[in-house]
Amino acid sequence: MIVDVLTLFPELFPGPMSSGVTGRGLAAGLITLRIHNLRDYTHDRHRQVDDVPYGGGAGMVLKPEPIFEAVRARTGRGPVILLSPQGERLTQQLVRELAANDDLYLICGRYEGVDERVAAHLVDREVSIGDYVLTGGELPAMVLIDAVGRLVSGVLGSEESPRDESFAEDLLEYPHYTRPAVFEGHAVPEVLLSGHHAEIERWRRAQASERTHRRRPDLLRHRER
Ligand code: 9D3
């Protein structure tokens, strides 16, 4: 998969994506990141990417022209995505949808926002990673690439393959333990040491169900069981 990123802060990339699973995907050529500096698509002496908001108000707004020019110069044919607090929420369902593309073009906003004509007339979708205020779309772009990248064929080893993750979405994980059997006086649940696989399976289901009810009842809303 080829992922193009349009940003005012190209030096932030690849950043944390150079390590771990995503780093391996990049090194193996399974994921290709192409970073584009929004300022390179300006033509004036000051390379101006922003301007004051029509109607007044605080802060600056990203101008439409450099963004339109950059996107029109793209080589990929996949969706153009604006990372924006006004976007649809990134969920595992959306991640799966996006992972079905050969390429993605991600636009990172900064400052107070992006001229609305970008959202209205240039991009295919707007995506938010959640309801908290960040300073720009770069970290959200990396979150999206991390989530989508691990679904790209070959990126995960056979040991860590994504199984059927639609199941994992509506239930939290059961608790995991490794050695030692007793750590600072805290013992691993007896059943896990029993070697009784059916009983272990039953215990894990019960744990997953119980903690989902307690911590994330919202996940159980549309669920029969
Ligand atoms: C402080 C300015 N805000 C007014 C209350 C509006 C605002 C503008 C720009 C808030 C955040 C941003 C920058 N954020 C993003 O570009 C962004 C984002 C986010 O802040 N949270 C979750 N997902 C995303 S995707 C892009």
Side-chain angles (χ1 to χ4, degrees), residues 83-85 109-113 127-137 140:
L83 283 308
S84 145
R110 278 273 160 173
Y111 311 133
E112 269 320 285
V127 174
S128 160
I129 63 162
D131 296 336
Y132 33 82
V133 180
L134 302 172
T135 57

Side-chain angles (χ1 to χ4, degrees), residues 69-216:
E69 183 170 324
V71 170
R72 285 179 175 154
R74 84 190 196 280
T75 54
R77 288 189 284 108
V80 177
I81 299 165
L82 174 64
L83 283 308
S84 145
Q86 282 74 47
E88 62 181 305
R89 186 75 76 82
L90 186 66
T91 59
Q92 193 61 26
Q93 139 110 41
L94 178 52
V95 166
R96 275 196 301 270
E97 242 177 87
L98 297 178
N101 293 284
D102 292 331
D103 50 88
L104 300 173
Y105 195 101
L106 308 181
I107 304 170
C108 306
R110 278 273 160 173
Y111 311 133
E112 269 320 285
V114 179
D115 187 285
E116 186 61 22
R117 288 164 292 193
V118 169
H121 306 295
L122 184 66
V123 311
D124 297 302
R125 51 208 311 176
E126 277 184 87
V127 174
S128 160
I129 63 162
D131 296 336
Y132 33 82
V133 180
L134 302 172
T135 57
E138 284 79 8
L139 288 170
M142 292 182 204
V143 166
L144 187 156
I145 294 165
D146 187 286
V148 169
R150 63 184 286 284
L151 297 187
V152 169
S153 182
V155 169
L156 290 186
S158 52
E159 203 67 350
E160 32 186 21
S161 83
R163 289 171 284 146
D164 180 12
E165 292 184 336
S166 56
F167 173 74
E169 271 157 62
D170 45 15
L171 220 49
L172 298 180
E173 284 261 294
Y174 55 78
H176 301 274
Y177 294 90
T178 186
R179 291 182 286 187
V182 181
F183 174 70
E184 296 189 351
H186 305 291
V188 170
E190 200 65 50
V191 60
L192 297 180
L193 313 177
S194 70
H196 195 311
H197 295 299
E199 218 170 288
I200 290 171
E201 187 61 21
R202 196 142 40 85
W203 179 85
R204 285 178 166 169
R205 280 185 207 283
Q207 287 287 314
S209 169
E210 190 180 305
R211 41 161 65 179
T212 306
H213 272 98
R214 271 194 225 293
R215 301 181 189 187
R216 293 296 305 278

